[in-house]
mmCIF file of all heavy atoms in Angstrom:
data_model
loop_
_atom_site.group_PDB
_atom_site.id
_atom_site.type_symbol
_atom_site.label_atom_id
_atom_site.label_comp_id
_atom_site.label_asym_id
_atom_site.label_seq_id
_atom_site.Cartn_x
_atom_site.Cartn_y
_atom_site.Cartn_z
ATOM 1 N N PRO W 506 31.144 -7.986 15.028
ATOM 2 C CA PRO W 506 31.094 -8.230 13.577
ATOM 3 C C PRO W 506 30.115 -9.314 13.150
ATOM 4 O O PRO W 506 29.611 -9.278 12.027
ATOM 5 C CB PRO W 506 32.532 -8.621 13.232
ATOM 6 C CG PRO W 506 33.362 -7.965 14.280
ATOM 7 C CD PRO W 506 32.533 -8.011 15.530
ATOM 8 N N ASN W 507 29.813 -10.274 14.047
ATOM 9 C CA ASN W 507 28.923 -11.362 13.628
ATOM 10 C C ASN W 507 27.441 -11.013 13.773
ATOM 11 O O ASN W 507 26.580 -11.746 13.279
ATOM 12 C CB ASN W 507 29.234 -12.640 14.415
ATOM 13 C CG ASN W 507 28.799 -12.558 15.874
ATOM 14 O OD1 ASN W 507 28.600 -11.474 16.424
ATOM 15 N ND2 ASN W 507 28.667 -13.705 16.500
ATOM 16 N N HIS W 508 27.125 -9.901 14.451
ATOM 17 C CA HIS W 508 25.731 -9.570 14.764
ATOM 18 C C HIS W 508 24.871 -9.481 13.505
ATOM 19 O O HIS W 508 23.800 -10.104 13.421
ATOM 20 C CB HIS W 508 25.686 -8.253 15.542
ATOM 21 C CG HIS W 508 24.308 -7.803 15.914
ATOM 22 N ND1 HIS W 508 23.466 -8.529 16.729
ATOM 23 C CD2 HIS W 508 23.607 -6.672 15.579
ATOM 24 C CE1 HIS W 508 22.325 -7.879 16.893
ATOM 25 N NE2 HIS W 508 22.383 -6.752 16.205
ATOM 26 N N THR W 509 25.321 -8.720 12.538
ATOM 27 C CA THR W 509 24.530 -8.538 11.324
ATOM 28 C C THR W 509 24.523 -9.775 10.444
ATOM 29 O O THR W 509 23.752 -9.844 9.475
ATOM 30 C CB THR W 509 25.047 -7.340 10.515
ATOM 31 O OG1 THR W 509 26.472 -7.432 10.394
ATOM 32 C CG2 THR W 509 24.685 -6.029 11.198
ATOM 33 N N LEU W 510 25.370 -10.778 10.769
ATOM 34 C CA LEU W 510 25.365 -12.037 10.027
ATOM 35 C C LEU W 510 24.477 -13.078 10.696
ATOM 36 O O LEU W 510 24.280 -14.170 10.154
ATOM 37 C CB LEU W 510 26.791 -12.573 9.878
ATOM 38 C CG LEU W 510 27.689 -11.882 8.834
ATOM 39 C CD1 LEU W 510 26.968 -11.678 7.522
ATOM 40 C CD2 LEU W 510 28.224 -10.563 9.334
ATOM 41 N N ILE W 511 23.943 -12.751 11.871
ATOM 42 C CA ILE W 511 22.930 -13.583 12.522
ATOM 43 C C ILE W 511 21.532 -13.113 12.129
ATOM 44 O O ILE W 511 20.612 -13.919 11.941
ATOM 45 C CB ILE W 511 23.091 -13.538 14.054
ATOM 46 C CG1 ILE W 511 24.447 -14.104 14.465
ATOM 47 C CG2 ILE W 511 21.975 -14.306 14.749
ATOM 48 C CD1 ILE W 511 24.748 -13.967 15.953
ATOM 49 N N LEU W 512 21.361 -11.811 11.950
ATOM 50 C CA LEU W 512 20.038 -11.228 11.744
ATOM 51 C C LEU W 512 19.274 -11.787 10.547
ATOM 52 O O LEU W 512 18.056 -12.011 10.655
ATOM 53 C CB LEU W 512 20.149 -9.702 11.633
ATOM 54 C CG LEU W 512 20.721 -8.979 12.854
ATOM 55 C CD1 LEU W 512 20.741 -7.480 12.613
ATOM 56 C CD2 LEU W 512 19.927 -9.315 14.106
ATOM 57 N N PRO W 513 19.897 -12.030 9.379
ATOM 58 C CA PRO W 513 19.107 -12.569 8.268
ATOM 59 C C PRO W 513 18.469 -13.914 8.577
ATOM 60 O O PRO W 513 17.431 -14.260 8.000
ATOM 61 C CB PRO W 513 20.136 -12.700 7.131
ATOM 62 C CG PRO W 513 21.208 -11.731 7.472
ATOM 63 C CD PRO W 513 21.287 -11.748 8.970
ATOM 64 N N PHE W 514 19.063 -14.684 9.466
ATOM 65 C CA PHE W 514 18.607 -16.034 9.767
ATOM 66 C C PHE W 514 17.716 -16.091 11.008
ATOM 67 O O PHE W 514 17.270 -17.161 11.399
ATOM 68 C CB PHE W 514 19.820 -16.944 9.988
ATOM 69 C CG PHE W 514 20.824 -16.909 8.866
ATOM 70 C CD1 PHE W 514 21.948 -16.090 8.951
ATOM 71 C CD2 PHE W 514 20.641 -17.671 7.731
ATOM 72 C CE1 PHE W 514 22.877 -16.048 7.922
ATOM 73 C CE2 PHE W 514 21.569 -17.641 6.694
ATOM 74 C CZ PHE W 514 22.692 -16.823 6.790
ATOM 75 N N THR W 515 17.482 -14.940 11.638
ATOM 76 C CA THR W 515 16.681 -14.890 12.863
ATOM 77 C C THR W 515 15.636 -13.787 12.727
ATOM 78 O O THR W 515 14.574 -14.018 12.147
ATOM 79 C CB THR W 515 17.585 -14.660 14.091
ATOM 80 O OG1 THR W 515 18.453 -13.538 13.854
ATOM 81 C CG2 THR W 515 18.442 -15.888 14.362
ATOM 82 N N ARG W 516 15.938 -12.607 13.220
ATOM 83 C CA ARG W 516 14.977 -11.502 13.228
ATOM 84 C C ARG W 516 14.360 -11.237 11.855
ATOM 85 O O ARG W 516 13.157 -11.002 11.723
ATOM 86 C CB ARG W 516 15.674 -10.248 13.772
ATOM 87 C CG ARG W 516 15.114 -8.890 13.365
ATOM 88 C CD ARG W 516 13.715 -8.627 13.862
ATOM 89 N NE ARG W 516 13.260 -7.324 13.428
ATOM 90 C CZ ARG W 516 12.753 -7.063 12.221
ATOM 91 N NH1 ARG W 516 12.610 -8.028 11.325
ATOM 92 N NH2 ARG W 516 12.359 -5.841 11.909
ATOM 93 N N MET W 517 15.150 -11.304 10.784
ATOM 94 C CA MET W 517 14.650 -10.938 9.465
ATOM 95 C C MET W 517 13.755 -12.000 8.845
ATOM 96 O O MET W 517 13.111 -11.741 7.818
ATOM 97 C CB MET W 517 15.808 -10.614 8.528
ATOM 98 C CG MET W 517 16.493 -9.303 8.860
ATOM 99 S SD MET W 517 17.751 -8.865 7.655
ATOM 100 C CE MET W 517 16.742 -8.632 6.184
ATOM 101 N N LEU W 518 13.663 -13.180 9.433
ATOM 102 C CA LEU W 518 12.713 -14.171 8.928
ATOM 103 C C LEU W 518 11.282 -13.684 9.125
ATOM 104 O O LEU W 518 10.364 -14.138 8.440
ATOM 105 C CB LEU W 518 12.920 -15.516 9.627
ATOM 106 C CG LEU W 518 14.281 -16.177 9.409
ATOM 107 C CD1 LEU W 518 14.337 -17.521 10.131
ATOM 108 C CD2 LEU W 518 14.600 -16.358 7.927
ATOM 109 N N GLY W 519 11.081 -12.745 10.052
ATOM 110 C CA GLY W 519 9.758 -12.173 10.267
ATOM 111 C C GLY W 519 9.396 -11.113 9.250
ATOM 112 O O GLY W 519 8.218 -10.932 8.928
ATOM 113 N N GLY W 520 10.395 -10.375 8.738
ATOM 114 C CA GLY W 520 10.096 -9.322 7.780
ATOM 115 C C GLY W 520 11.182 -8.267 7.726
ATOM 116 O O GLY W 520 12.228 -8.390 8.374
ATOM 117 N N PRO W 521 10.953 -7.202 6.943
ATOM 118 C CA PRO W 521 11.961 -6.172 6.714
ATOM 119 C C PRO W 521 12.489 -5.544 7.998
ATOM 120 O O PRO W 521 11.802 -5.481 9.017
ATOM 121 C CB PRO W 521 11.217 -5.136 5.863
ATOM 122 C CG PRO W 521 10.159 -5.916 5.169
ATOM 123 C CD PRO W 521 9.737 -6.960 6.158
ATOM 124 N N LEU W 522 13.724 -5.046 7.904
ATOM 125 C CA LEU W 522 14.454 -4.570 9.079
ATOM 126 C C LEU W 522 15.051 -3.194 8.814
ATOM 127 O O LEU W 522 15.858 -3.025 7.897
ATOM 128 C CB LEU W 522 15.583 -5.559 9.398
ATOM 129 C CG LEU W 522 16.597 -5.136 10.456
ATOM 130 C CD1 LEU W 522 15.914 -5.005 11.804
ATOM 131 C CD2 LEU W 522 17.727 -6.151 10.534
ATOM 132 N N ASP W 523 14.669 -2.201 9.610
ATOM 133 C CA ASP W 523 15.291 -0.884 9.518
ATOM 134 C C ASP W 523 16.484 -0.841 10.474
ATOM 135 O O ASP W 523 16.435 -0.230 11.541
ATOM 136 C CB ASP W 523 14.281 0.215 9.859
ATOM 137 C CG ASP W 523 14.818 1.605 9.510
ATOM 138 O OD1 ASP W 523 15.620 1.708 8.561
ATOM 139 O OD2 ASP W 523 14.438 2.578 10.179
ATOM 140 N N TYR W 524 17.564 -1.516 10.050
ATOM 141 C CA TYR W 524 18.796 -1.552 10.849
ATOM 142 C C TYR W 524 19.572 -0.247 10.700
ATOM 143 O O TYR W 524 20.384 0.095 11.541
ATOM 144 C CB TYR W 524 19.662 -2.731 10.406
ATOM 145 C CG TYR W 524 20.926 -2.897 11.225
ATOM 146 C CD1 TYR W 524 20.895 -3.599 12.424
ATOM 147 C CD2 TYR W 524 22.137 -2.350 10.809
ATOM 148 C CE1 TYR W 524 22.043 -3.749 13.190
ATOM 149 C CE2 TYR W 524 23.293 -2.496 11.564
ATOM 150 C CZ TYR W 524 23.243 -3.193 12.752
ATOM 151 O OH TYR W 524 24.373 -3.333 13.509
ATOM 152 N N THR W 525 19.340 0.492 9.629
ATOM 153 C CA THR W 525 20.008 1.750 9.297
ATOM 154 C C THR W 525 21.511 1.575 9.066
ATOM 155 O O THR W 525 22.335 2.162 9.774
ATOM 156 C CB THR W 525 19.758 2.847 10.364
ATOM 157 O OG1 THR W 525 20.259 2.424 11.625
ATOM 158 C CG2 THR W 525 18.274 3.120 10.496
ATOM 159 N N PRO W 526 21.900 0.780 8.060
ATOM 160 C CA PRO W 526 23.325 0.633 7.740
ATOM 161 C C PRO W 526 23.845 1.848 6.980
ATOM 162 O O PRO W 526 23.106 2.808 6.742
ATOM 163 C CB PRO W 526 23.344 -0.616 6.863
ATOM 164 C CG PRO W 526 22.027 -0.577 6.161
ATOM 165 C CD PRO W 526 21.046 -0.006 7.151
ATOM 166 N N GLY W 527 25.108 1.795 6.586
ATOM 167 C CA GLY W 527 25.644 2.834 5.708
ATOM 168 C C GLY W 527 26.594 3.810 6.365
ATOM 169 O O GLY W 527 26.846 4.892 5.813
ATOM 170 N N ILE W 528 27.170 3.483 7.526
ATOM 171 C CA ILE W 528 28.138 4.376 8.162
ATOM 172 C C ILE W 528 29.495 4.214 7.476
ATOM 173 O O ILE W 528 30.051 3.119 7.455
ATOM 174 C CB ILE W 528 28.263 4.078 9.670
ATOM 175 C CG1 ILE W 528 26.906 4.249 10.365
ATOM 176 C CG2 ILE W 528 29.317 4.972 10.309
ATOM 177 C CD1 ILE W 528 26.309 5.631 10.254
ATOM 178 N N PHE W 529 30.015 5.314 6.927
ATOM 179 C CA PHE W 529 31.325 5.286 6.267
ATOM 180 C C PHE W 529 32.447 5.663 7.243
ATOM 181 O O PHE W 529 33.527 5.095 7.209
ATOM 182 C CB PHE W 529 31.341 6.243 5.074
ATOM 183 C CG PHE W 529 30.701 5.675 3.828
ATOM 184 C CD1 PHE W 529 29.925 4.525 3.867
ATOM 185 C CD2 PHE W 529 30.879 6.307 2.604
ATOM 186 C CE1 PHE W 529 29.344 4.008 2.721
ATOM 187 C CE2 PHE W 529 30.310 5.800 1.441
ATOM 188 C CZ PHE W 529 29.534 4.655 1.503
ATOM 189 N N ASP W 530 32.183 6.640 8.114
ATOM 190 C CA ASP W 530 33.192 7.058 9.095
ATOM 191 C C ASP W 530 33.066 6.154 10.319
ATOM 192 O O ASP W 530 32.568 6.551 11.371
ATOM 193 C CB ASP W 530 32.979 8.524 9.465
ATOM 194 C CG ASP W 530 34.059 9.064 10.399
ATOM 195 O OD1 ASP W 530 35.162 8.482 10.425
ATOM 196 O OD2 ASP W 530 33.787 10.043 11.127
ATOM 197 N N VAL W 531 33.541 4.908 10.184
ATOM 198 C CA VAL W 531 33.246 3.866 11.169
ATOM 199 C C VAL W 531 33.932 4.101 12.512
ATOM 200 O O VAL W 531 33.513 3.540 13.527
ATOM 201 C CB VAL W 531 33.608 2.471 10.615
ATOM 202 C CG1 VAL W 531 32.719 2.124 9.429
ATOM 203 C CG2 VAL W 531 35.074 2.384 10.242
ATOM 204 N N LYS W 532 34.968 4.938 12.553
ATOM 205 C CA LYS W 532 35.658 5.225 13.821
ATOM 206 C C LYS W 532 35.408 6.654 14.294
ATOM 207 O O LYS W 532 36.046 7.124 15.234
ATOM 208 C CB LYS W 532 37.158 4.965 13.664
ATOM 209 C CG LYS W 532 37.479 3.498 13.387
ATOM 210 C CD LYS W 532 38.964 3.257 13.138
ATOM 211 C CE LYS W 532 39.772 3.384 14.403
ATOM 212 N NZ LYS W 532 41.206 3.010 14.177
ATOM 213 N N TYR W 533 34.497 7.376 13.642
ATOM 214 C CA TYR W 533 34.094 8.726 14.023
ATOM 215 C C TYR W 533 35.277 9.695 14.006
ATOM 216 O O TYR W 533 35.355 10.634 14.803
ATOM 217 C CB TYR W 533 33.411 8.746 15.394
ATOM 218 C CG TYR W 533 32.426 7.615 15.602
ATOM 219 C CD1 TYR W 533 32.277 7.010 16.839
ATOM 220 C CD2 TYR W 533 31.645 7.142 14.550
ATOM 221 C CE1 TYR W 533 31.384 5.971 17.034
ATOM 222 C CE2 TYR W 533 30.755 6.097 14.733
ATOM 223 C CZ TYR W 533 30.634 5.506 15.971
ATOM 224 O OH TYR W 533 29.755 4.471 16.154
ATOM 225 N N GLU W 534 36.185 9.483 13.077
ATOM 226 C CA GLU W 534 37.373 10.341 12.978
ATOM 227 C C GLU W 534 37.024 11.744 12.518
ATOM 228 O O GLU W 534 37.769 12.694 12.782
ATOM 229 C CB GLU W 534 38.381 9.701 12.025
ATOM 230 C CG GLU W 534 38.944 8.392 12.554
ATOM 231 C CD GLU W 534 39.666 7.571 11.501
ATOM 232 O OE1 GLU W 534 39.195 7.534 10.346
ATOM 233 O OE2 GLU W 534 40.701 6.966 11.838
ATOM 234 N N ASN W 535 35.882 11.894 11.843
ATOM 235 C CA ASN W 535 35.470 13.210 11.367
ATOM 236 C C ASN W 535 34.533 13.918 12.345
ATOM 237 O O ASN W 535 33.971 14.961 12.010
ATOM 238 C CB ASN W 535 34.771 13.081 10.004
ATOM 239 C CG ASN W 535 35.679 12.450 8.968
ATOM 240 O OD1 ASN W 535 36.901 12.594 9.026
ATOM 241 N ND2 ASN W 535 35.092 11.741 8.011
ATOM 242 N N SER W 536 34.357 13.344 13.530
ATOM 243 C CA SER W 536 33.457 13.926 14.534
ATOM 244 C C SER W 536 34.160 13.988 15.888
ATOM 245 O O SER W 536 33.831 13.232 16.818
ATOM 246 C CB SER W 536 32.172 13.092 14.638
ATOM 247 O OG SER W 536 31.502 13.036 13.403
ATOM 248 N N PRO W 537 35.125 14.887 16.031
ATOM 249 C CA PRO W 537 35.926 14.910 17.268
ATOM 250 C C PRO W 537 35.189 15.489 18.475
ATOM 251 O O PRO W 537 35.564 15.208 19.614
ATOM 252 C CB PRO W 537 37.121 15.793 16.883
ATOM 253 C CG PRO W 537 36.584 16.695 15.810
ATOM 254 C CD PRO W 537 35.592 15.885 15.045
ATOM 255 N N ASN W 538 34.159 16.297 18.251
ATOM 256 C CA ASN W 538 33.515 17.013 19.360
ATOM 257 C C ASN W 538 32.260 16.286 19.841
ATOM 258 O O ASN W 538 31.171 16.853 19.911
ATOM 259 C CB ASN W 538 33.169 18.442 18.928
ATOM 260 C CG ASN W 538 34.403 19.226 18.535
ATOM 261 O OD1 ASN W 538 35.428 19.156 19.221
ATOM 262 N ND2 ASN W 538 34.320 19.954 17.435
ATOM 263 N N ARG W 539 32.421 15.042 20.194
ATOM 264 C CA ARG W 539 31.292 14.240 20.653
ATOM 265 C C ARG W 539 31.080 14.424 22.158
ATOM 266 O O ARG W 539 32.026 14.549 22.921
ATOM 267 C CB ARG W 539 31.534 12.767 20.321
ATOM 268 C CG ARG W 539 31.736 12.533 18.832
ATOM 269 C CD ARG W 539 32.204 11.110 18.533
ATOM 270 N NE ARG W 539 31.189 10.157 18.919
ATOM 271 C CZ ARG W 539 31.430 9.016 19.542
ATOM 272 N NH1 ARG W 539 32.678 8.691 19.874
ATOM 273 N NH2 ARG W 539 30.445 8.191 19.839
ATOM 274 N N VAL W 540 29.818 14.418 22.549
ATOM 275 C CA VAL W 540 29.449 14.600 23.950
ATOM 276 C C VAL W 540 28.678 13.368 24.408
ATOM 277 O O VAL W 540 27.727 12.938 23.745
ATOM 278 C CB VAL W 540 28.582 15.862 24.138
ATOM 279 C CG1 VAL W 540 28.108 15.970 25.588
ATOM 280 C CG2 VAL W 540 29.361 17.104 23.718
#
Side-chain angles (χ1 to χ4, degrees):
N507 71 340
H508 180 62
T509 48
L510 284 314
I511 298 174
L512 299 181
F514 307 97
T515 51
R516 155 64 180 82
M517 288 185 64
L518 297 181
L522 171 65
D523 191 30
Y524 183 85
T525 61
I528 301 300
F529 279 13
D530 185 22
V531 295
K532 296 176 72 174
Y533 317 144
E534 294 166 321
N535 301 330
S536 301
N538 299 317
R539 302 171 64 222
V540 175

